[in-house]
Amino acid sequence: MKSLLLLIILIHISCGNRNNHYSYKAQKKILKKERYCSAPIRMVQNSYRSINLSTFNKWQTFNEFKMRGMGKALLSPFVYVKRTKDSIVVINSEQKEDIRTYYKVGNKWYNYLVLEPWKKQVISTKSSTEEPARDYYRICGNDTILELKCNYIRDIVLYEFYIKTRQTCVMIVPVYGIDFCDHNKDIYNQMLHFLYFYRNNRSLFLSQHGKSIYDRRKIYTYKLYSYKNKLLYKCLEKENTLYFSHTSLGLFGIQPGLEKYDRSRSVLEGY
């Protein structure tokens, strides 16, 4: 896949007010402990029609926690997977235009998705039940998936941050105007810094607020229950149960975020 390009731009920024963010010393600790991508990655790729699937391996599903294909492809849908030293391409057998490309930097795999960008031209509201135009910045592997979802509502970008393991999904609603204040610069670094702050200084993480004292980071923990024909994410903080169809793709089939749930079968607090 020589036509796949990895565009890495090295830009160092400081985001927002010092008092509203985790300290420079804390960030230095991360620099010492982790090797990570220092800037946004953009995936530039050809359409499905230009890809030779005979060069791909077939697997039943793709495990983003282990970053490898899993199981013999016996059921449909399955996935086509092509792996090189520093990239992986995964294609859904039933949605061949959905080409997911992962690039390896250090010991992490980076993935970027753009979903329904045409909706940026559609006037929508925060309360709409439909998903708006959105991007996902993702870091996969090492038994964890990190995702930053960027929702485009008119001229505003609203964020959701996900920390996923095999059994749980932690959803964090960041503070508007403080967290991820420039999502076009060093976004993957910001994600790792945000994770470090959440894990290592929880009291400060929860106490910081925006212009209003009530505008604080919100944390929701979902536990995964797997059944033969369904996957359920049950929230521990509120009466939410998200229902997903369990297809032959398993967890890979319901990525990214928590958006592919069946609204008619789910239990949503306030609805």
Side-chain angles (χ1 to χ4, degrees):
M1 299 292 293
K2 293 182 179 179
S3 60
L4 295 175
L5 302 178
L6 169 62
L7 304 182
I8 301 180
I9 307 169
L10 302 177
I11 303 172
H12 297 282
I13 62 169
S14 61
C15 181
N17 189 306
R18 273 178 86 182
N19 295 327
N20 284 335
H21 286 271
Y22 13 103
S23 70
Y24 177 73
K25 289 183 178 179
Q27 296 184 30
K28 289 281 284 185
K29 289 180 182 178
I30 302 175
L31 290 173
K32 292 179 180 179
K33 293 174 67 176
E34 301 222 36
R35 294 180 62 197
Y36 58 88
C37 177
S38 61
I41 294 176
R42 291 292 190 272
M43 293 16 168
V44 181
Q45 56 198 23
N46 288 339
S47 70
Y48 158 70
R49 294 176 181 84
S50 65
I51 293 176
N52 182 4
L53 288 180
S54 66
T55 63
F56 284 63
N57 294 315
K58 294 181 181 180
W59 297 95
Q60 187 59 69
T61 188
F62 186 75
N63 187 328
E64 290 185 308
F65 297 102
K66 301 294 184 182
M67 292 306 294
R68 63 172 182 257
M70 303 286 288
K72 189 174 182 180
L74 299 175
L75 302 174
S76 186
F78 57 89
V79 291
Y80 296 94
V81 180
K82 184 171 183 178
R83 186 181 191 118
T84 66
K85 181 180 178 181
D86 57 6
S87 70
I88 300 175
V89 181
V90 182
I91 302 175
N92 184 330
S93 66
E94 292 188 351
Q95 298 175 10
K96 295 186 177 68
E97 293 296 338
D98 180 12
I99 303 171
R100 300 195 183 186
T101 308
Y102 307 81
Y103 286 100
K104 189 176 185 180
V105 180
N107 64 347
K108 294 180 174 60
W109 292 89
Y110 295 81
N111 174 230
Y112 175 66
L113 301 174
V114 180
L115 302 179
E116 301 180 303
W118 57 269
K119 285 188 175 181
K120 289 183 179 181
Q121 309 303 321
V122 178
I123 297 177
S124 58
T125 64
K126 295 180 183 179
S127 60
S128 174
T129 58
E130 290 189 11
E131 292 286 345
R134 57 216 181 271
D135 299 344
Y136 279 92
Y137 294 85
R138 311 177 74 234
I139 304 174
C140 303
N142 300 319
D143 296 317
T144 303
I145 299 172
L146 302 180
E147 296 178 327
L148 179 66
K149 181 183 182 184
C150 309
N151 298 295
Y152 298 97
I153 310 292
R154 299 184 182 179
D155 58 344
I156 297 175
V157 184
L158 299 177
Y159 300 102
E160 296 170 13
F161 188 78
Y162 297 92
I163 307 168
K164 295 180 177 178
T165 66
R166 288 286 301 179
Q167 280 76 41
T168 62
C169 174
V170 177
M171 173 186 173
I172 303 174
V173 180
V175 176
Y176 181 76
I178 293 181
D179 301 318
F180 307 106
C181 57
D182 190 343
H183 80 276
N184 288 316
K185 296 180 180 179
D186 270 349
I187 190 66
Y188 293 106
N189 284 355
Q190 292 182 55
M191 291 171 64
L192 291 170
H193 294 164
F194 192 76
L195 175 67
Y196 183 89
F197 188 25
Y198 163 74
R199 286 178 171 173
N200 292 277
N201 199 339
R202 188 70 61 89
S203 60
L204 180 60
F205 185 86
L206 292 174
S207 65
Q208 288 183 337
H209 61 82
K211 292 182 179 180
S212 167
I213 193 173
Y214 301 105
D215 186 14
R216 301 176 187 269
R217 299 179 183 99
K218 300 176 181 64
I219 302 175
Y220 302 104
T221 303
Y222 289 84
K223 188 173 180 181
L224 176 63
Y225 296 86
S226 180
Y227 302 94
K228 183 178 180 180
N229 297 316
K230 63 184 178 182
L231 296 167
L232 299 180
Y233 272 108
K234 294 186 178 182
C235 184
L236 303 183
E237 290 81 13
K238 55 183 181 179
E239 295 296 323
N240 275 12
T241 299
L242 305 181
Y243 180 106
F244 297 82
S245 295
H246 194 171
T247 71
S248 54
L249 294 178
L251 282 178
F252 182 75
I254 67 171
Q255 305 303 321
L258 288 177
E259 64 178 63
K260 294 184 179 181
Y261 65 90
D262 185 330
R263 179 170 288 271
S264 65
R265 297 184 178 185
S266 299
V267 177
L268 302 174
E269 188 175 284
Y271 288 89

